[in-house]
Amino acid sequence: MEQWLVALIMVVGLVTVLATGLPIAFSLGFMSVVLLLLTEGWGGLDAIFYQAYGISTSFVLVAVPLFILMGNLIYHSGVGREIYDLASKWLGWMPGGLATATVGACGIFGAMSGSALAGSATIGVVAIPEMQNKGYRRDLSLGSVAAAGGLAALIPPSVVMILYGDISDNSIGKLFIAGILPGILVIIIFSLYHLWVGLRYPEAAPREPGVPWGDRFRVLGRLWAPVLLITFVIGSIYTGIATPTESAGVGALGAFLILTMKHRGFRPNLVRNSIHDAVMVTGYMLLILVGALTFAYVATLAYIPQSLTAWMVSLPVDRWLILAMVWVFLILMGMFFDGVSLIVLTTPLVYPVIIGLGWDPIWYGVILVLNVEIGAITPPVGLHFYVVKGLTPNTPMIDVIRGCFPYVILFHVAVVIIAVMPWIATWLPSTMMK
Amino acid sequence: MGVISAVGEFLARAVRTLNRAGAVIAGAAMVFMALGVSYEVVSRHFFNAPTKWVFEGGEIALTVSVFLAAGYILERERHVRMDLLTGRLREKVRNTLFLAVYPMGLAFSLLLLSTGYSGVKWSIDLGARTFIMGIPIAIPQAMVPIGGFLLSITFIYRWFQLLAAVRGRDSTAPSEPGQH
C-alpha cells in the first residue's frame, strides 16, 4: 500500500475513532489492528502481543507506578495544607503574595508527589477559599491554582518525563534534573506576574500583614519529613546514588511513613485508597502507552516517521522555523489530549525530526513537558479546569478559563526563554555525577 | 425471561468478581514493587549485597499491575477518552454511540487474548526462561492474554449495561466518560 495512503488512514482513522469517545488506549489499539491488517495481513497481528509485552522489559517504567503511589500517599497524608500554610506565612506579605504562595506550595507539592492533578486539588482546596476570603480577584485565585498544579510535571519526579525518556531512550535521571531550573524559572515568572498584579491592581490582590519570624520558623519545623523526602528523591538521582526507579521505590516507602506519621498511626483505609488510585492511574496510563507503541510500530513499518524526518530536515528553512512548527503542533495537540497521550502520541513522530535537526533531546524533553502544562490549562480540553471547577462547583467554567489565560501566556514566555537559552535545561544535567 | 436474567446476573457478578480479583493482585504487585526496590537499595548500599531478583521481579510486577487491572479500570470507565464531542451529547445518544464503538475495543482486546495465547504457547514450546531468575517466561507473558480476557468480558459486560440503559431498563448504568 502507498505510504501516503497509510498515513492518511492513520490520521483520519485515529481522529474519527477518538471522536467517537472510545478510550484512547483502545482507539490506538484498534487503529493499529486495522493498519496492520492493511499493510502486513493477518501475520502482522502478532506484533500486538509483542508490543504489549514490551512494556514489561523496561525497568525504568517501574518508576511510573511507584511515583504515582508516592503521590497518592502524600495526597492522603494531608501534608498539602501544611505546605500551603508554610508558603503563605513566608510569602503572603508580598503584593500578590497569596497567589505566589500558591505557586510555591504547588512547586513543593509537585516535588513530593509528581502529580499535577493532585497538586491542583490538594493546594487548591486550601488556597482558593483563602485567597477569595482575603479579597483576591476570582480569576486570579482560580488561574494560579490551575496553572501552578502543572509544575509537578516539570519539577522532578515527573511521570510524563519518565514516559518521554522511555520512548525516546534518554536518561530519566538527566531529564528529571533538567526540569529543576525551568521549574524554578516558571515559579519566578509567575511570582513576578503576581507582584505586578499586586502593585498595579491592589484591589485584585490585597496585601497581607507580615507574620512574625517565630511563626514562620515554627511551621518550617513541622515540614522536616517532606523536605527530607524531596531531598532524598532528587538528591539521590542527582548524585547517582540511586536510579530514578530506586528513588521512586524508596520515595513511596517514605511517603507511606509520612502518611503514618501525620495521622499518628497506620491508617489501612488511606493506604488502601492510595494503592487503589495508583492502580487506576497506572493502568490507564500504561495501557495508553501500549496502544501508542503499537501505533508507532505500525507507523515505523510504513516508514512514516523516517520519511517525515527526511522531508523536514531537507526543507530549505531555518531549523528555528521547524521548531516553531513543532511548537504549534504541540499546542494544537495539547488542546485536545492529556499530557500522557500528548507525549506518547507525538514523541515517536517528532523526536526523530528534533534529533535530525541537531537539537538536544533533554532540552526538547523540557520544552515538551512545558507544552503538556500549557495543554492542561488550554480550552477546549484542559484537565486542570475540571479539577478547579470541582473545587469550586458554583464557579462558572468560563471564569476558570479566563483565570488561566495569563498563565498560558506566561508558560509560553518560559518556553521562549528556554528555547533561546537552552542551558537553563541542559546545564544542571551536565554537572551530574553519573 | 427469569432464567435468562438470572444467568445474566450471574455472569455480570462473575465479571465484577474477576475484575476485583485482578485489581487486588495488581495492587499487591505494586506494593511488591515498592518493597522490593526499597529492599534492593538498602541491601546494595548498606550491606553491599545487591539482589538478583528485584530487577526482573519489578518488571514482572509491572506487567501484572497493568494487565490484571485493565478490566477493573474499564468497568469503572476510568480509561481516558476524548469527550470533546461525546460530552455534549445527550446521555441516551452518547450511550447509543458507545454501543456502536465498543466492539472496536472488544476487537483489540480479543486480539490481545488470541495473539497473547499464541505467544505464550510458543514460549512454552520453546521452554524459554527469564534471564536472571530462570522462571518460565510464559508466566509473565500470560498477563497479556489474561488482561485481554478481562478486557473482553468487561467490554461485553459494559455493552449489555449500555444496551439496558439505552432501552431505559437500567438508568444507573455508568455511562459517564471518566475523564477527557
Side-chain angles (χ1 to χ4, degrees), chain A residues 111-365:
Chain A
M112 291 172 63
S113 70
S115 166
L117 292 180
S120 284
T122 311
I123 302 300
V125 78
V126 197
I128 294 174
E130 176 80 357
M131 280 191 273
Q132 295 191 349
N133 288 340
K134 298 281 168 63
Y136 270 57
R137 215 169 55 200
R138 187 153 67 172
D139 58 339
L140 185 65
S141 62
L142 301 173
S144 60
V145 168
L151 283 166
L154 195 58
I155 294 174
S158 159
V159 169
V160 286
M161 286 266 198
I162 298 173
L163 295 178
Y164 168 73
D166 185 64
I167 296 169
S168 64
D169 203 18
N170 277 294
S171 158
I172 309 293
K174 283 191 173 178
L175 282 165
F176 274 8
I177 300 303
I180 295 176
L181 289 183
I184 293 170
L185 174 73
V186 171
I187 291 175
I188 292 170
I189 292 173
F190 283 6
S191 304
L192 289 174
Y193 168 68
H194 296 148
L195 195 66
W196 177 77
V197 171
L199 292 171
R200 179 82 176 76
Y201 307 102
E203 73 286 354
R207 215 161 157 171
E208 286 292 293
V211 175
W213 284 98
D215 288 355
R216 294 186 198 190
F217 282 106
R218 228 184 326 278
V219 71
L220 200 60
R222 283 209 301 268
L223 283 171
W224 64 270
V227 169
L228 208 65
L229 183 73
I230 297 170
T231 311
F232 175 79
V233 169
I234 301 175
S236 63
I237 295 170
Y238 181 75
T239 54
I241 290 173
T243 65
T245 308
E246 289 171 344
S247 75
V250 180
L253 205 63
F256 167 74
L257 293 175
I258 288 174
L259 181 136
T260 308
M261 223 163 53
K262 290 286 170 196
H263 290 280
R264 298 176 193 284
F266 177 59
R267 295 293 176 100
N269 274 356
L270 294 180
V271 175
R272 199 172 49 226
N273 288 346
S274 302
I275 295 170
H276 176 269
D277 294 350
V279 165
M280 292 290 223
V281 176
T282 305
Y284 90 68
M285 222 179 238
L286 293 186
L287 215 59
I288 290 177
L289 184 65
V290 167
L293 290 179
T294 313
F295 197 70
Y297 169 79
V298 182
T300 310
L301 278 183
Y303 287 97
I304 290 169
Q306 299 92 319
S307 301
L308 183 73
T309 306
W311 176 68
M312 292 198 91
V313 170
S314 69
L315 283 176
V317 292
D318 196 272
R319 66 177 189 154
W320 283 96
L321 186 64
I322 296 176
L323 183 71
M325 285 160 63
V326 167
W327 189 13
V328 172
F329 174 62
L330 292 177
I331 292 168
L332 291 174
M333 292 287 283
M335 288 167 71
F336 301 100
F337 291 99
D338 68 299
V340 174
S341 310
L342 177 69
I343 285 184
V344 300
L345 280 174
T346 62
T347 302
L349 210 61
V350 175
Y351 184 75
V353 176
I354 293 293
I355 297 305
L357 290 168
W359 296 108
D360 186 289
I362 300 289
W363 166 84
Y364 174 69

Side-chain angles (χ1 to χ4, degrees), chain A residues 12-201:
Chain A
V12 175
L14 184 63
V15 170
T16 309
V17 178
L18 284 171
T20 63
L22 187 68
I24 293 171
F26 303 107
S27 300
L28 287 162
F30 178 74
M31 280 314 297
S32 304
V33 171
V34 170
L35 289 159
L36 278 170
L37 282 174
L38 288 174
T39 55
E40 304 289 309
W42 288 98
L45 291 179
D46 282 344
I48 290 170
F49 165 67
Y50 291 106
Q51 291 299 321
Y53 184 62
I55 62 156
S56 70
T57 55
S58 170
F59 188 61
V60 161
L61 284 180
V62 173
V64 172
L66 296 181
F67 276 131
I68 292 170
L69 179 60
M70 176 178 129
N72 280 321
L73 289 164
I74 288 292
Y75 174 74
H76 284 108
S77 74
V79 85
R81 187 174 289 273
E82 289 182 0
I83 292 172
Y84 182 73
D85 192 32
L86 166 85
S88 62
K89 282 198 165 60
W90 280 82
L91 303 168
W93 59 273
M94 296 162 63
L98 288 181
T100 300
T102 302
V103 173
C106 283
I108 298 171
F109 193 84
M112 291 172 63
S113 70
S115 166
L117 292 180
S120 284
T122 311
I123 302 300
V125 78
V126 197
I128 294 174
E130 176 80 357
M131 280 191 273
Q132 295 191 349
N133 288 340
K134 298 281 168 63
Y136 270 57
R137 215 169 55 200
R138 187 153 67 172
D139 58 339
L140 185 65
S141 62
L142 301 173
S144 60
V145 168
L151 283 166
L154 195 58
I155 294 174
S158 159
V159 169
V160 286
M161 286 266 198
I162 298 173
L163 295 178
Y164 168 73
D166 185 64
I167 296 169
S168 64
D169 203 18
N170 277 294
S171 158
I172 309 293
K174 283 191 173 178
L175 282 165
F176 274 8
I177 300 303
I180 295 176
L181 289 183
I184 293 170
L185 174 73
V186 171
I187 291 175
I188 292 170
I189 292 173
F190 283 6
S191 304
L192 289 174
Y193 168 68
H194 296 148
L195 195 66
W196 177 77
V197 171
L199 292 171
R200 179 82 176 76
Y201 307 102

Side-chain angles (χ1 to χ4, degrees), chain A residues 20-21 23-24 29-30 33 45 49 56 59 241 245-246 249 276 279-280 283-284 286 336-338 380-381 383, chain B residues 30 37-38 41 44-45 55 59 63 66 69 72-73 76 80-82 84 86 97-98 101 104 108 111 115-116 180:
Chain A
T20 63
I24 293 171
F30 178 74
V33 171
L45 291 179
F49 165 67
S56 70
F59 188 61
I241 290 173
T245 308
E246 289 171 344
H276 176 269
V279 165
M280 292 290 223
Y284 90 68
L286 293 186
F336 301 100
F337 291 99
D338 68 299
V381 178
L383 271 187
Chain B
M30 204 171 271
V37 171
S38 303
V41 173
R44 183 153 52 91
H45 284 288
F55 188 85
E59 290 179 347
T63 319
V66 172
Y72 181 79
I73 300 168
R76 277 155 182 73
V80 180
R81 65 179 86 224
M82 228 181 85
L84 190 64
T86 56
L97 180 64
F98 287 170
V101 298
M104 294 182 195
F108 176 64
L111 276 165
T115 60
H180 84 94

